[in-house]
Amino acid sequence: MTTDTEPVLEPLLAKSTQVALRPRYEGSNICTWIGFKHVNYLIEEAVLEHFRSAGMPARALFEDYGLGLDLVGLDTRILHALHMDDLVETRVEPATRDTDDVLRFRVTLTLERGGQRLKAATSKVAVSLRRGDFLPPEGEPPAELARFVVSRLGTGQAQSPPAAVPADDRALSLGRGTAGADPVLDQLTAGENAFGWKWRIPYPYCHFSERIQMSGYLRQMEEVVDLFLADRGISIKQLLEDRKWIPVVPHSSIHVLDEALMEEDLYTVYTVEDVFKDFTYTSRMDCYVVRDGRLVRTATGTITHGYAEIESRHDWSLVTFDDRVLRALGGEPAAG
C-alpha cells in the first residue's frame, strides 16, 4: 500500500493498465461460448488488477483502512462472443472527472481470432470505497481518497411507497425463492409486462461480511432471466431442444442505488420494455428490499437479448423472433 508521502491517485487515475485473462470454465454453459455474466467477471477482475497495480489492492484497503472496494456501476457492450480458453487482453483506462465522487474507468477487452485483433467488449465501471463498521479500521486512508469514501452505497434515501406487507411479516425464501402469489410482488408488477421473484440473499452473494456485491447482482440478473423465460413458456432448455436457439446478450448494465444485506429478502422485478424489429428485446431489472415497512430499491439494470441458432459446435447465427417468442415476450400465452 502506498503512503501519504507517495502519489496516491496518480497511478490509479492517470495511468492505464493491461492484463491478460481467460474466462472461467464455469461460464461456458452452451457449447463453448461464454455468457455475459462471465464477460463482466473479466471486467471486474481487470479493475481489481488496476487497483493492485496502483498499490491499492482490495485486501489492503479493507484490512488497513476498513474500506470495501465496491463496483457500483457496470455498463457493458459485448461486440464479439468469447469462447472457452480465449486469452483476453484487458485494458483499464481511468475516466474519473475532477467533480466525481466515484472512481470511473473504461475497460476494453480484445482478443485474437482468425489472425485478426478484435474488440470483444467495452465497459464503463464506477467504484466506491465503502467505509465499514463491522470491525474498527487500523488506520486512516490517504487524504486523497477521501472524496471517494462513502459511509453507505447509493443515496440511502428511500423515496418509495409503503410495502404491501410489514417488514417483520417476511417469510424465509430458500433455494430459487418464490415466484408465485406474494403481496409485495403483486404490488411491484401490477399493470406491467413483468415477472417478479422473491429470494433470500445468501452469504455467497455478499462480501465484506455484510452486503450483496456487484457479482451477486449479475448472478441475480442471469437467474431472473432464466425464471422469466420458463414462466413464459420459452425456457432455455425448451428452445434449445425445439429450435437449437440460445439467448445472446449484446448489452447489460447494473447500478447500485442502496444496500441489500445478507439474509434480507430481495424482491426482483424483470420488466420487458421494448422489442426492436423482432430482433432484440430490452428488459429492466429492479431489486428491492422491504425495510421499516417501505420498499427500498437497491439496484436497477437493463439487459438486451437476441436469439442465435446453433449451426455447429463452434458457429451460430442471429435469428429474428418467431410468433411463439413474440407472444411470450408480450405476455400472451405462448403458441407451441
Side-chain angles (χ1 to χ4, degrees):
M1 176 70 78
T2 56
T3 68
D4 279 325
T5 60
E6 298 173 331
V8 173
L9 290 186
E10 182 181 352
L12 188 67
L13 299 184
K15 297 180 180 179
S16 61
T17 56
Q18 292 186 204
V19 62
L21 301 169
R22 295 188 192 273
R24 294 296 304 270
Y25 194 59
E26 176 197 314
S28 183
N29 308 122
I30 309 295
C31 294
T32 63
W33 300 298
I34 300 299
F36 87 98
K37 180 183 69 177
H38 278 263
V39 174
N40 281 302
Y41 283 3
L42 289 176
I43 291 162
E44 179 184 62
E45 183 55 41
V47 170
L48 292 173
E49 184 59 36
H50 183 78
F51 274 81
R52 293 186 194 107
S53 298
M56 285 179 278
R59 175 182 174 181
L61 285 169
F62 181 77
E63 292 183 352
D64 295 347
Y65 305 128
L67 298 179
L69 193 161
D70 274 274
L71 272 67
V72 293
L74 192 58
D75 191 326
T76 301
R77 296 188 181 276
I78 300 174
L79 309 174
H80 291 278
L82 299 184
H83 290 247
M84 182 192 303
D85 295 329
D86 272 340
L87 184 63
V88 182
E89 190 71 35
T90 68
R91 181 179 179 87
V92 178
E93 296 178 283
T96 306
R97 300 180 293 267
D98 290 342
T99 55
D100 283 336
D101 57 3
V102 295
L103 296 147
R104 299 187 187 277
F105 305 95
R106 292 187 298 269
V107 183
T108 304
L109 308 187
T110 59
L111 56 84
E112 188 173 324
R113 182 163 294 143
Q116 289 185 307
R117 199 71 185 165
L118 300 176
K119 184 184 290 186
T122 61
S123 187
K124 298 176 183 177
V125 183
V127 174
S128 285
L129 302 177
R130 205 278 203 185
R131 183 185 295 107
D133 51 17
F134 180 70
L135 292 169
E138 295 184 1
E140 285 297 315
E144 291 177 73
L145 289 177
R147 67 184 171 112
F148 307 113
V149 174
V150 297
S151 57
R152 185 186 186 92
L153 300 181
T155 63
Q157 297 174 353
Q159 298 180 0
S160 51
V165 293
D168 59 2
D169 194 30
R170 50 195 286 274
L172 190 64
S173 301
L174 299 174
R176 296 197 89 182
T178 301
D182 180 278
V184 177
L185 293 179
D186 291 346
Q187 177 181 350
L188 290 169
T189 58
E192 301 287 342
N193 181 13
F195 170 84
W197 173 37
K198 175 186 177 182
W199 170 84
R200 174 182 176 269
I201 301 171
Y203 85 90
Y205 282 62
C206 301
H207 66 177
F208 301 121
S209 313
E210 183 179 50
R211 58 191 175 275
I212 192 169
Q213 58 180 302
M214 177 61 77
S215 64
Y217 280 121
L218 286 167
R219 294 162 75 178
Q220 190 76 356
M221 179 174 275
E222 181 181 60
E223 183 90 353
V224 76
V225 170
D226 180 69
L227 292 170
F228 163 79
L229 294 174
D231 183 72
R232 295 293 174 96
I234 53 170
S235 76
I236 304 292
K237 186 174 187 292
Q238 284 179 312
L239 290 193
L240 270 172
E241 292 179 347
D242 296 348
R243 292 166 166 75
K244 291 187 171 61
W245 283 16
I246 58 168
V248 293
V249 178
H251 179 235
S252 65
S253 69
I254 296 176
H255 299 280
V256 175
L257 307 176
D258 207 315
E259 297 182 354
L261 306 180
M262 188 187 301
E263 297 189 3
E264 283 190 304
D265 279 336
L266 193 70
Y267 295 85
T268 301
V269 178
Y270 184 78
T271 306
V272 177
E273 291 194 315
D274 182 57
V275 179
F276 180 72
K277 293 185 177 180
D278 300 347
F279 200 65
T280 61
Y281 74 97
T282 299
S283 300
R284 188 180 76 252
M285 180 187 79
D286 293 296
C287 296
Y288 302 83
V289 297
V290 176
R291 195 173 290 148
D292 298 326
R294 301 186 73 84
L295 283 167
V296 179
R297 189 166 64 146
T298 64
T300 188
T302 61
I303 187 166
T304 300
H305 278 94
Y307 275 98
E309 183 177 7
I310 299 173
E311 297 175 341
S312 69
R313 292 184 183 273
H314 48 77
D315 289 320
W316 53 262
S317 60
L318 294 173
V319 296
T320 55
F321 302 153
D322 61 13
D323 183 65
R324 177 184 179 184
V325 169
L326 287 171
R327 286 168 62 86
L329 295 179
E332 304 175 46

